[in-house]
């Protein structure tokens, strides 16, 4: 095709930006292609590994893990590998190649032109030879293609009815298909292959999860309506079937040097060679077809998602033969409407998700306090279920004083996580705010920390802890920074969670709060937008419904974080609050059974929450009881009459 030119001033900004982005990609590719091969630090790679998937279908986790280990090795070195034993019948693979022959060689040109991809804003349909170029807009690419994407009717599971395109549109299928009366059985044959390769991709993603030390079903909720672009491609025979140079791109090209942009690609190729992969030391490796095999390669999205641990590798197609070559690539992605961050097992001290602290160690060290030791005796360090995500719940607040509802919130969240999510709760922390918060009714931080410790000591199971780090700060510390502190101590210092097989994985941290707090997050001017994004995108929240708070209204302006917010219904209503406890105390009313008994004793012993220095609550109760001739229930902790 004719060389593309830069957009004119009459074209819109989007086109201008797209062109600039494409040029940036081309610069990167050319830098790779023009770099002189250097001496590798390890043995040079001159072939792609072959991985037999047969053991991955075994009920034995050990067998599946063994395959995942091979995948990890391939993805961290070359980013390409063959799979055999994948389970797609040979008849289905042969059938899709026959569809290639029928479409490209027997289907009338006028009918192909009627479904030309220029009629689709999603680039679906027929793509003539030399119509597009993957990188520099000038390569004389000789491929001819037919492109289509995910449809619920092609999904053996039936899908979940929520598929959207990358642009967010969801108004039905965007595919253009040949007419059945003109190419009988084409759609049926495509559906047969697509259904098999889609399910294989889902299976592979579970192996990818294992290979990344994630729960095996980590990606499952993200594959219910996935991105799945597929192509039939025909490469014509070469006019001059001679080898290309290792870096030269100035001769016949079937498909120019590029990387794929989805999570990973499954490539079915016929018996004619053509695929070439650029090695880490800049040598082209011929990926000749393996009988019964499919080529798998990592895409740009998965490379970014894994923090660069898995490699998306430059490759190209050059038909060096005098034969026609057919291939059927399938570009697999997660649901296009998913919100993602760096995979938890790929976060390192020098790199974290963009929405989290750039340097957690520096963030923690900037607020050091003397004689501080992070409390973690109640934190479970070894997972029970390797297929779940280890979770730590963190409650920040005044706790003036701590109530039974504060404690009950942890139990409700634990039950919710167990029965409604894929999390495994490893521990819970209470973090009282510092005195610098200066809230009305705020007792001294030393008292509030001690009351929380007394309450936790009575908590069965021993999985709740009180961290005094925030309370002991001389300045007010934002909740976002408090979460960073926990992330640093738990994942960087303690090393996260250990799986039963001895491997380690970072723990997921989430804020635990009442719906009234979330309502303030929806109120303009109360929270910094950056802090909100930091908390809700970088960490997430478990929210317990509270009486008097409309949870739907509270979440209305936080919809961009909806997949990171878990709302817990109170099956037994409890409206106890610290504010009401202080009110009861000022009115000399009983607070027994509303807060932990040791906390009641501590309040009395230290004269907390008195009204203008009047006599203690217990003394007043005694006087009332004496004057009436009977005992009055006070705030005593043991249930005795005061």
């Amino acid at each position: 095709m004719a060389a593309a030119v830069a957009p004119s001033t009459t074209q819109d900004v989007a086109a201008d930006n797209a062109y600039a982005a494409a040029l940036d990609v081309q610069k990167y590719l050319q830098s790779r292609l023009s770099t002189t091969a250097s001496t590798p630090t390890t043995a040079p790679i001159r072939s792609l590994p072959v991985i037999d998937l047969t053991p991955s279908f075994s009920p034995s986790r050990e067998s599946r893990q063994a395959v995942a280990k091979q995948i990890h090795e391939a993805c961290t070195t070359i980013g390409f590998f063959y799979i055999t034993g994948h389970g797609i019948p040979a008849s289905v693979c042969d059938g899709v190649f026959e569809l290639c022959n029928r479409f490209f060689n027997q289907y009338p040109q006028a009918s192909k032109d009627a479904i030309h991809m220029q009629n689709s804003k999603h680039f679906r349909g027929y793509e003539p030879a030399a119509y597009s170029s993957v990188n520099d807009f000038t390569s004389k690419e000789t491929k001819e293609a037919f492109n289509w994407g995910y449809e619920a009717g092609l999904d053996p599971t039936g899908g979940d009815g929520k598929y959207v395109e990358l642009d967010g549109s969801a108004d039905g299928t965007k595919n253009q298909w040949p007419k059945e009366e003109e190419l009988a059985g084409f759609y049926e044959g495509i559906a047969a292959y697509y259904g098999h390769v889609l399910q294989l991709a889902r299976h592979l993603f579970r192996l990818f999860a294992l290979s990344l030390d994630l729960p095996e079903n980590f990606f499952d909720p993200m594959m219910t309506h996935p991105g799945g672009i597929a192509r039939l491609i025909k490469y014509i025979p070469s006019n001059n079937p001679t080898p290309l140079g290792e870096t030269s791109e100035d001769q016949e090209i079937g498909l120019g040097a590029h990387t794929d942009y989805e999570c990973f690609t499954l490539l079915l190729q016929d018996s004619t060679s053509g695929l070439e992969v650029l090695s880490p030391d800049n040598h082209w490796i011929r990926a000749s077809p393996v009988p019964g095999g499919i080529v798998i390669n990592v895409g740009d999205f998965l490379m970014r998602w894994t923090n660069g641990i898995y490699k998306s590798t430059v490759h190209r197609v050059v038909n060096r033969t005098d034969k026609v070559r057919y291939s059927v690539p399938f570009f697999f992605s997660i649901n296009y409407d998913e919100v993602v961050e760096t995979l938890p097992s790929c976060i390192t001290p020098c790199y974290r998700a963009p929405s989290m602290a750039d340097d957690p160690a520096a963030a923690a060290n900037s607020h050091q306090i003397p004689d501080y030791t992070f409390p973690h005796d109640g934190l479970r360090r070894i997972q029970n279920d390797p297929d779940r995500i280890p979770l730590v719940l963190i409650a920040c607040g005044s706790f003036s004083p701590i109530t039974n509802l504060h404690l009950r919130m942890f139990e409700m969240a634990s039950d919710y996580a167990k029965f409604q999510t894929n999390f495994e709760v490893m521990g819970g922390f209470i973090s009282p705010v510092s005195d610098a918060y200066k809230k009305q009714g705020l007792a001294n931080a030393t008292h509030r920390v001690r009351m929380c410790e007394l309450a936790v000591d009575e908590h069965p199971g021993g999985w709740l802890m009180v961290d005094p780090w925030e309370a002991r700060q001389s300045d007010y510390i934002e909740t976002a920074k408090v979460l960073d502190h926990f992330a640093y101590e738990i994942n960087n210092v303690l090393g996260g969670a250990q799986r039963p097989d001895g491997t380690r994985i970072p723990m997921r941290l989430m804020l635990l709060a009442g719906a009234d707090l979330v309502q303030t997050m929806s109120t303009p001017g109360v929270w910094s937008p950056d802090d909100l994004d930091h908390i809700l995108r970088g960490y997430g929240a478990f929210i317990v419904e509270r009486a008097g708070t409309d949870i739907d209204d509270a979440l209305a302006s936080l919809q961009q974080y909806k997949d990171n917010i878990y709302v817990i219904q109170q099956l037994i209503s409890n409206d106890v609050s610290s504010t009401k406890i202080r009110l009861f105390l000022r009115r000399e009313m009983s607070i027994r059974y509303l807060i932990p008994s040791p906390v009641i004793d501590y309040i009395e012993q230290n004269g907390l929450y008195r009204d203008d220095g009047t006599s203690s609550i217990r003394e007043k109760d005694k006087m009332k009881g004496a004057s009436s001739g009977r005992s009055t229930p006070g705030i005593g902790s043991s249930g005795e009459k005061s």
Side-chain angles (χ1 to χ4, degrees):
M1 73 179 202
V5 296
S8 69
T9 56
T10 60
Q11 293 177 289
D12 60 32
V13 175
D16 197 24
N17 291 341
Y19 183 82
L23 290 180
D24 287 341
V25 172
Q26 179 60 16
K27 289 178 183 177
Y28 164 74
L29 290 170
Q30 290 303 323
S31 69
R32 282 295 312 273
L33 296 170
S34 61
T35 300
T36 303
S38 57
T39 303
T41 56
T42 58
I45 299 174
R46 295 294 179 263
S47 63
L48 304 184
V50 180
I51 300 175
D52 181 6
L53 285 194
T54 303
S56 74
F57 296 99
S58 165
S60 165
R61 181 182 174 86
E62 183 178 359
S63 297
R64 301 194 301 275
Q65 191 72 60
V67 175
K69 184 177 180 180
Q70 296 178 66
I71 290 175
H72 181 85
E73 175 66 21
C75 292
T76 54
T77 53
I78 186 64
F80 268 81
F81 56 95
Y82 298 96
I83 57 170
T84 59
H86 47 69
I88 299 181
S91 59
V92 173
C93 297
D94 293 341
V96 77
F97 284 132
E98 176 57 27
L99 291 179
C100 288
N101 176 56
R102 292 178 61 202
F103 179 82
F104 293 117
N105 303 321
Q106 299 173 21
Y107 195 49
Q109 185 62 44
S111 297
K112 286 189 283 189
D113 291 340
I115 55 172
H116 195 293
M117 63 184 294
Q118 66 185 0
N119 301 322
S120 167
K121 67 177 182 178
H122 296 97
F123 309 106
R124 310 288 168 75
Y126 173 61
E127 179 182 340
Y131 182 76
S132 66
S133 174
V134 297
N135 47 44
D136 65 357
F137 318 114
T138 61
S139 298
K140 297 177 176 60
E141 294 184 352
T142 60
K143 70 182 185 303
E144 188 179 3
F146 174 77
N147 311 312
W148 75 97
Y150 178 89
E151 288 183 9
L154 298 175
D155 188 342
T157 71
D160 61 2
K162 298 180 180 179
Y163 177 75
V164 295
E165 296 286 350
L166 277 171
D167 62 2
S169 60
D171 53 337
T173 176
K174 305 296 189 302
N175 295 321
Q176 301 186 88
W177 297 105
K179 295 179 179 179
E180 175 65 20
E181 60 270 23
E182 293 182 346
L183 199 60
F186 183 83
Y187 183 86
E188 181 182 0
I190 288 292
Y193 178 75
Y194 190 95
H196 277 93
V197 77
L198 175 59
Q199 291 299 80
L200 175 60
R202 286 172 167 144
H203 178 75
L204 279 168
F205 231 150
R206 296 183 185 103
L207 297 175
F208 274 106
L210 289 176
S211 76
L212 291 163
D213 291 331
L214 296 168
E216 191 168 3
N217 58 357
F218 180 87
F219 297 110
D220 282 9
M222 309 178 198
M223 300 187 289
T224 55
H225 49 275
I229 305 297
R231 313 179 77 187
L232 305 181
I233 305 180
K234 174 186 177 181
Y235 298 95
I236 64 174
S238 174
N239 293 322
N240 182 26
T242 57
L244 290 176
E246 286 189 339
T247 61
S248 176
E249 284 282 356
D250 56 359
Q251 303 176 50
E252 286 181 294
I253 298 294
L255 185 61
H258 65 284
T259 57
D260 296 341
Y261 61 84
E262 299 282 19
C263 290
F264 56 89
T265 303
L266 300 88
L267 175 69
L268 179 69
Q269 49 183 349
D270 67 7
S271 58
T272 303
S273 296
L275 176 64
E276 296 179 343
V277 178
L278 192 62
S279 72
D281 60 336
N282 281 19
H283 284 264
W284 286 110
I285 302 170
R286 178 176 293 183
S288 299
V290 169
I294 292 176
V295 179
I296 309 297
N297 66 277
V298 174
D300 297 341
F301 188 95
L302 187 56
M303 180 175 71
R304 183 72 180 98
W305 207 0
T306 61
N307 189 15
I309 294 174
Y310 281 6
K311 311 302 180 186
S312 178
T313 302
V314 175
H315 54 285
R316 68 186 183 189
V317 177
V318 184
N319 188 356
R320 304 175 184 276
T321 75
D322 57 1
K323 300 177 182 178
V324 171
R325 178 181 185 269
Y326 294 117
S327 70
V328 186
F330 175 75
F331 308 96
F332 188 66
S333 179
I334 57 172
N335 305 336
Y336 284 143
D337 54 351
E338 289 289 338
V339 176
V340 301
E341 60 183 28
T342 305
L343 292 170
S345 61
C346 301
I347 298 174
T348 65
C350 62
Y351 181 88
R352 301 183 69 186
S355 60
M356 302 170 75
D358 292 334
D359 189 345
N365 291 335
S366 66
H367 295 284
Q368 284 185 332
I369 51 178
D371 303 321
Y372 168 76
T373 301
F374 180 67
H376 61 272
D377 290 347
L379 181 65
R380 189 154 49 87
R381 308 283 294 282
I382 300 177
Q383 270 194 281
N384 293 327
D385 187 348
D387 290 329
R388 286 179 172 261
I389 302 169
L391 172 69
V392 176
L393 298 165
I394 299 166
C396 300
S398 301
F399 303 104
S400 187
I402 189 169
T403 72
N404 285 337
L405 180 56
H406 288 133
L407 302 176
R408 179 66 190 152
M409 285 171 62
F410 281 95
E411 293 296 334
M412 288 187 282
S414 178
D415 284 344
Y416 184 90
K418 178 180 180 180
F419 297 110
Q420 303 292 332
T421 75
N422 194 40
F423 293 117
E424 178 181 350
V425 175
M426 308 295 285
F429 285 89
I430 295 170
S431 180
V433 73
S434 73
D435 290 337
Y437 187 48
K438 299 187 183 301
K439 179 182 178 181
Q440 184 177 3
L442 194 69
N444 180 274
T446 302
H447 288 311
R448 289 182 289 110
V449 168
R450 183 55 188 151
M451 287 187 285
C452 288
E453 290 172 341
L454 290 170
V456 164
D457 287 344
E458 283 207 332
H459 194 77
W463 62 280
L464 288 188
M465 294 149 281
V466 180
D467 184 6
W469 180 84
E470 180 187 2
R472 292 177 59 186
Q473 298 293 330
S474 58
D475 299 322
Y476 171 70
I477 305 296
E478 294 86 350
T479 301
K481 292 180 180 178
V482 174
L483 294 175
D484 282 343
H485 154 74
F486 281 101
Y488 172 71
E489 293 289 351
I490 292 171
N491 289 326
N492 293 53
V493 177
L494 298 179
Q498 178 179 311
R499 294 177 176 278
D501 63 4
T503 59
R504 306 198 72 84
I505 182 175
M507 297 194 199
R508 180 78 180 271
L509 278 65
M510 300 191 82
L511 181 69
L512 174 62
D516 50 341
L517 177 69
V518 176
Q519 193 168 47
T520 69
M521 292 179 170
S522 298
T523 304
V526 177
W527 290 75
S528 158
D530 288 343
D531 280 1
L532 269 185
D533 190 75
H534 190 108
I535 295 167
L536 297 179
R537 190 186 306 280
Y539 294 101
F542 272 54
I543 304 301
V544 178
E545 288 187 338
R546 294 289 299 270
T549 300
D550 186 331
I551 189 65
D552 292 331
D553 181 63
L555 296 175
S557 64
L558 304 174
Q559 286 304 297
Q560 67 267 43
Y561 309 114
K562 61 183 177 64
D563 293 332
N564 231 12
I565 298 176
Y566 299 83
V567 178
I568 306 167
Q569 291 183 328
Q570 285 202 60
L571 300 181
I572 300 177
S573 182
N574 188 334
D575 193 31
V576 177
S577 70
S578 298
T579 301
K580 291 180 179 179
I581 294 298
R582 296 195 301 270
L583 177 63
F584 275 35
L585 288 172
R586 288 198 302 271
R587 293 181 177 179
E588 304 177 16
M589 298 171 66
S590 171
I591 56 171
R592 187 182 296 154
Y593 312 126
L594 297 178
I595 67 175
S597 295
V599 176
I600 297 176
D601 278 345
Y602 187 88
I603 290 172
E604 175 59 27
Q605 291 163 7
N606 291 275
L608 302 181
Y609 308 115
R610 291 182 177 181
D611 187 11
D612 298 326
T614 55
S615 59
S616 73
I617 302 302
R618 180 170 293 166
E619 288 171 346
K620 291 186 177 183
D621 282 338
K622 286 181 178 180
M623 288 188 291
K624 287 183 178 181
S627 63
S628 63
R630 60 179 176 82
S631 297
T632 302
I635 60 171
S637 62
S638 60
E640 78 277 7
K641 302 297 182 182
S642 299

